[in-house]
Amino acid sequence: MLSPDVCPAPHPQAAGRMIDNEAVLVLADSGQVMVLNETGGRIWELADGTRTVTDIARMIVEEYEVSEEQALADVQEFVYQLVEKQALIVFPKEGQ
Amino acid sequence: MKNDLVALEDQNIGIASAQSSPDEPCGFDSQVANSPYQRILAKAESQHRLISVHWELTYRCNQRCSHCYLDVLPPDACVPEELTTEECLNIIDQIADEGALYLSLSGGEALIRRDFFQIAEYARFRGLSLSILTNGTLIRPDTADRIAALHPLRVSMSLYGASAAIHEHITRIPGSYAKTIRAFHLLHERGVRTVAKTPLMQENVYEFYALREQAERLGAQFQYDITITTKNDGGRGPLQHRMTDEQLLWFFRRELDPRPWISPRPNGRDRRFCSLGGLACVIRPNGDVSPCINIRVRVGNLRQASLREIWHEQPIWRELHGLTLTRLPKCASCDLQWYCTRCHGLALVEDGDLFACSTEARRQAALRRQVLREKGVIDNEAATPWSNWSGASSTAKSTCL
């Protein structure tokens, strides 16, 4: 399981845009495009390298009707998936 | 949180790629698209969202290709009207702020610009997915390293022949073939996805299979185009290189896949031929903004107006996007419409009228239909190519969408 204390950021090969509440991610090295739904797109937007997984989960709780526990588990799982697909990278929060 | 992953390979959304698969129907209407990606693009198109920008950074070039639609300038020409580095970076900000996703950097030869990497790196920094179109001759190991570091979606390079003799007969630069081949190798070694782009013409059509094999050996995708266009000022010089009827028939008899042409397609008068005016624009070296490569109408200039103003406030985009069969009565009643890859730009630049029949598209359509008849897959009397073909419905989605 991905640590909730790491900061996700876009992978150098990835480019993405929100288009009408959905995100289109282009993965250049593999030549693939991913379409993320609204929540996934929001997580992608928040994954800018300044927030931890926990920070992102908190913001998801504020914006969507979901419990803290569920949000954290979902964000952890989702970020892990995007790291596997090389759409995101993760690194320790500065100072940790 | 479900997400969908689909292959990008065959998605065709950019200006540069609008003619990259010319042997597929252009009558496809994005409104019927069914993948999540195509659905989003169709929605963006209907909302006039800028998704893709094709940018001709310079008209200077170190090759003199015989069929080129541009009157290119020498590499060392002084071109004061070219956008400065500062202006280019500002335009990238505007493209990114507008929400675009794709940027293609082209020329002339884009790598001639000394600030090419400054521009390209800033585009990546602003989150744009980058494609590069080049002849490859300026790509050396250190250049290839820098390109690889950009993580471009693809680098497309012109390959005109499977041998130096034919390639250089077209580029008119001795030694250019070896340099371009070297670029393919250098980029492939670094994991960069490359595309060998080949306009098929009188001089190289019979090299088709050798070219395709060459591309495969180079680890590149092979993309050909059967249409040679006039100069952008309407000059007809390049047309002498167009394939003859005999050559086109030779090609179609071997390579024409009947399935897309006999699969059902939308049959209404609101049918569009491309996404013109909906998703993309072209920027010229002097900052002029145009609807597409072939429609060189100046909608605005980025030295005089912002991209936002040009993209949102000029009525021409909606007018062009409204170019359906209703506005093209000759096409609507044409017996070749189902075999035609009509290009509005070609009709404008070659036939002098955006609404006219594109005579070149019609020539190709007639030859295409002839070959489909020879293959026995269409019925001479049927109203549409698929009317009397029992297998049409089962393959429609896989071949047409």
Side-chain angles (χ1 to χ4, degrees):
Chain A
M1 181 64 82
L2 192 79
S3 163
D5 299 325
V6 293
C7 295
H11 190 284
Q13 69 147 330
R17 283 287 183 272
M18 291 300 293
I19 301 174
D20 262 10
N21 294 327
E22 292 177 286
V24 177
L25 307 190
V26 181
L27 307 180
D29 297 348
S30 59
Q32 291 182 307
V33 59
M34 292 179 74
V35 176
L36 309 180
N37 65 17
E38 181 180 345
T39 324
R42 183 62 182 143
I43 295 171
W44 164 263
E45 274 189 316
L46 294 169
D48 63 357
T50 67
R51 301 176 180 89
T52 64
V53 167
T54 304
D55 295 335
I56 294 171
R58 278 196 199 111
M59 295 184 76
I60 293 294
V61 169
E62 287 171 18
E63 296 175 24
Y64 298 89
E65 287 181 16
V66 60
S67 69
E68 275 184 42
E69 204 173 70
Q70 185 62 51
L72 183 60
D74 281 354
V75 173
Q76 276 179 296
E77 171 63 21
F78 185 72
V79 169
Y80 179 75
Q81 281 181 30
L82 292 197
V83 169
E84 284 226 303
K85 294 184 190 306
Q86 296 188 307
L88 288 175
I89 53 172
V90 289
F91 51 87
K93 190 175 184 181
E94 211 168 294
Q96 287 189 342
Chain B
M1 292 177 212
K2 186 183 165 211
N3 62 78
D4 299 290
L5 187 65
V6 292
L8 184 62
E9 288 292 343
D10 298 320
Q11 307 297 348
N12 198 8
I13 77 126
I15 291 268
S17 58
Q19 295 185 348
S20 61
S21 303
D23 222 12
E24 294 173 4
C26 279
F28 164 66
D29 187 334
S30 55
Q31 290 160 18
V32 302
N34 62 357
S35 83
Y37 178 65
Q38 287 173 321
R39 174 179 49 74
I40 289 174
L41 287 185
K43 197 169 179 185
E45 184 183 332
S46 68
Q47 295 171 348
H48 187 59
R49 289 274 308 258
L50 184 64
I51 298 294
S52 181
V53 174
H54 180 86
W55 192 347
E56 295 171 339
L57 282 172
T58 180
Y59 287 155
R60 288 177 287 146
C61 189
N62 57 347
Q63 293 191 160
R64 294 287 173 273
C65 299
S66 54
H67 64 289
C68 186
Y69 65 93
L70 297 169
D71 278 320
V72 293
L73 304 165
D76 55 356
C78 177
V79 193
E81 60 267 33
E82 265 184 22
L83 295 163
T84 65
T85 307
E86 193 180 345
E87 288 172 322
C88 288
L89 301 185
N90 176 269
I91 289 169
I92 286 170
D93 279 334
Q94 295 186 53
I95 293 169
D97 291 344
E98 195 55 37
L101 177 56
Y102 297 100
L103 175 66
S104 304
L105 296 180
S106 177
E109 173 47 51
L111 286 161
I112 277 181
R113 277 192 70 129
R114 290 177 189 279
D115 56 2
F116 173 81
F117 282 102
Q118 199 177 344
I119 295 166
E121 285 160 6
Y122 190 62
R124 289 295 293 121
F125 172 74
R126 287 303 318 262
L128 292 158
S129 177
L130 185 69
S131 297
I132 300 168
L133 293 93
T134 170
N135 60 38
T137 56
L138 299 175
I139 298 177
R140 289 178 279 271
D142 57 329
T143 329
D145 287 340
R146 292 190 78 177
I147 290 175
L150 291 167
H151 291 276
L153 180 57
R154 63 176 73 87
V155 176
S156 300
M157 290 181 278
S158 310
L159 189 65
Y160 301 121
S163 63
I166 291 183
H167 183 85
E168 291 172 9
H169 175 71
I170 292 167
T171 66
R172 297 187 280 196
I173 300 292
S176 56
Y177 180 73
K179 289 178 180 173
T180 297
I181 296 296
R182 178 188 62 180
F184 275 106
H185 286 302
L186 289 170
L187 292 172
H188 185 61
E189 286 163 10
R190 287 158 177 77
V192 176
R193 291 153 38 81
T194 54
V195 179
K197 282 180 83 82
T198 302
L200 290 178
M201 47 189 148
Q202 289 187 18
E203 293 87 338
N204 67 1
V205 59
Y206 297 125
E207 288 240 308
F208 177 79
Y209 294 102
L211 275 157
R212 194 162 70 181
E213 284 167 19
Q214 172 76 306
E216 197 174 326
R217 278 196 300 276
L218 294 167
Q221 183 190 346
F222 181 52
Q223 228 174 55
Y224 63 87
D225 191 335
I226 62 172
T227 302
I228 299 293
T229 61
T230 61
K231 292 270 187 199
N232 62 6
D233 61 1
R236 301 179 76 83
L239 304 190
Q240 64 185 299
H241 301 281
R242 262 185 189 160
M243 283 188 277
T244 63
D245 288 0
E246 185 188 359
Q247 289 175 320
L248 257 177
L249 284 171
W250 177 89
F251 181 72
F252 282 159
R253 283 175 182 138
R254 283 155 183 79
E255 284 301 308
L256 185 65
D257 177 1
R259 289 172 301 178
W261 302 96
I262 55 179
S263 295
R265 278 163 273 161
N267 200 5
R269 293 179 74 84
D270 58 349
R271 182 157 64 101
R272 279 194 195 92
F273 286 82
C274 67
S275 61
L276 181 67
L279 291 169
C281 71
V282 173
I283 300 174
R284 313 290 181 192
N286 66 356
D288 280 354
V289 177
S290 300
C292 94
I293 290 175
N294 286 334
I295 299 183
R296 307 189 77 80
V297 174
R298 179 181 183 267
V299 183
N301 182 283
L302 290 166
R303 282 179 166 137
Q304 294 154 11
S306 69
L307 182 60
R308 171 163 283 275
E309 288 167 334
I310 293 170
W311 180 251
H312 291 286
E313 294 176 15
Q314 295 299 323
I316 189 172
W317 303 107
R318 292 207 181 275
E319 288 168 18
L320 291 173
H321 196 238
L323 269 179
T324 60
L325 271 185
T326 308
R327 304 271 312 277
L328 302 164
K330 284 182 184 166
C331 293
S333 61
C334 180
D335 61 332
L336 288 166
Q337 63 169 292
W338 298 111
Y339 312 98
C340 189
T341 58
R342 176 194 162 79
C343 165
H344 304 312
L346 213 56
L348 177 65
V349 75
E350 200 171 327
D351 302 288
D353 182 354
L354 194 64
F355 304 95
C357 165
S358 163
T359 49
E360 173 58 9
R362 183 175 169 78
R363 178 180 81 108
Q364 294 174 7
L367 298 172
R368 197 174 282 120
R369 182 174 67 179
Q370 179 181 329
V371 170
L372 291 172
R373 282 177 174 165
E374 287 173 10
K375 289 174 185 272
V377 293
I378 56 169
D379 183 329
N380 291 351
E381 305 302 322
T384 62
W386 54 87
S387 298
N388 295 332
W389 188 60
S390 58
S393 58
S394 63
T395 60
K397 286 188 175 175
S398 61
T399 57
C400 206
L401 300 184

